[in-house]
Amino acid sequence: MQLKFELAKYDEAEDKFELDETMYEMEIGDEDAQTYELLKSSDLNLYNWLKASDFFLNYIKEEVYPDDDNQKIAICDINDISFRRFYFFKVTSGESHYEYFKKLFSIYEESEWQDREDVGKEILEHLMVKRQELIIDLKVDETVESDDREV
């Protein structure tokens, strides 16, 4: 199965995401394709599975960003599933994004007249935490060997 995806680079100093704008493709095996099919209807489960998958992380480190060990990224799109709203949500975003995040974060509107801007600010507060969970740190884990010899 062919997995097509797009990434966003995370700038920790400015706490912002920048779209990579390259569509990457990788082939996944039958077992991973079955897992993908099971998880694709639950977007965050799919995201978390890929984030924890060695095959995916190794591909990113070796093929996408081989010379940038300290890169922090996030997945924007996987095949036809988009996560862009997590990184680029604004108070002026479309109604579908509001509804998605209200459901995801269990935000209850007290009345229909409640200001959309207030709901947007609450969504942004929740997203500050959620975005950190979605960031993939490509930092190479360096093992420091200690000298335990007795003198």
Side-chain angles (χ1 to χ4, degrees):
M1 175 183 178
Q2 198 75 355
L3 193 66
K4 296 178 183 179
F5 60 94
E6 201 167 357
L7 304 170
K9 295 178 181 181
Y10 176 66
D11 181 341
E12 192 170 18
E14 295 193 27
D15 189 29
K16 72 175 191 173
F17 293 88
E18 181 181 323
L19 191 60
D20 182 324
E21 296 188 23
T22 303
M23 184 61 71
Y24 299 98
E25 294 183 27
M26 68 180 290
E27 189 71 31
I28 60 175
D30 292 339
E31 189 175 319
D32 291 325
Q34 289 176 346
T35 304
Y36 171 84
E37 290 298 326
L38 289 171
L39 296 175
K40 74 179 183 181
S41 63
S42 177
D43 53 1
L44 289 178
N45 286 337
L46 175 63
Y47 192 104
N48 290 327
W49 170 67
L50 282 173
K51 182 181 174 190
S53 297
D54 288 337
F55 76 88
F56 185 74
L57 295 177
N58 289 338
Y59 181 84
I60 300 291
K61 290 176 184 178
E62 294 168 8
E63 302 294 328
V64 178
Y65 300 118
D67 300 325
D68 200 350
D69 294 339
N70 294 320
Q71 186 69 43
K72 290 187 178 186
I73 61 162
I75 303 169
C76 278
D77 299 298
I78 304 167
N79 290 347
D80 58 348
I81 301 164
S82 180
F83 299 95
R84 292 175 189 232
R85 65 178 101 197
F86 284 93
Y87 322 118
F88 304 113
F89 178 84
K90 294 181 171 46
V91 174
T92 56
S93 291
E95 189 65 31
S96 64
H97 301 297
Y98 273 83
E99 294 306 317
Y100 176 85
F101 286 126
K102 283 183 352 187
K103 183 177 178 183
L104 180 67
F105 298 130
S106 300
I107 298 173
Y108 174 74
E109 288 182 276
E110 295 177 15
S111 66
E112 289 183 24
W113 55 265
Q114 187 173 3
D115 192 353
R116 177 182 167 113
E117 191 171 315
D118 292 338
V119 175
K121 287 178 184 176
E122 189 173 348
I123 290 170
L124 286 171
E125 288 173 17
H126 287 285
L127 279 174
M128 286 175 55
V129 175
K130 183 54 88 178
R131 286 176 179 148
Q132 293 304 312
E133 294 172 9
L134 297 176
I135 292 172
I136 301 169
D137 191 349
L138 299 178
K139 182 189 265 185
V140 176
D141 295 328
E142 296 180 16
T143 320
V144 178
E145 294 184 27
S146 63
D147 192 358
D148 292 336
R149 291 182 281 168
E150 291 183 27
V151 180

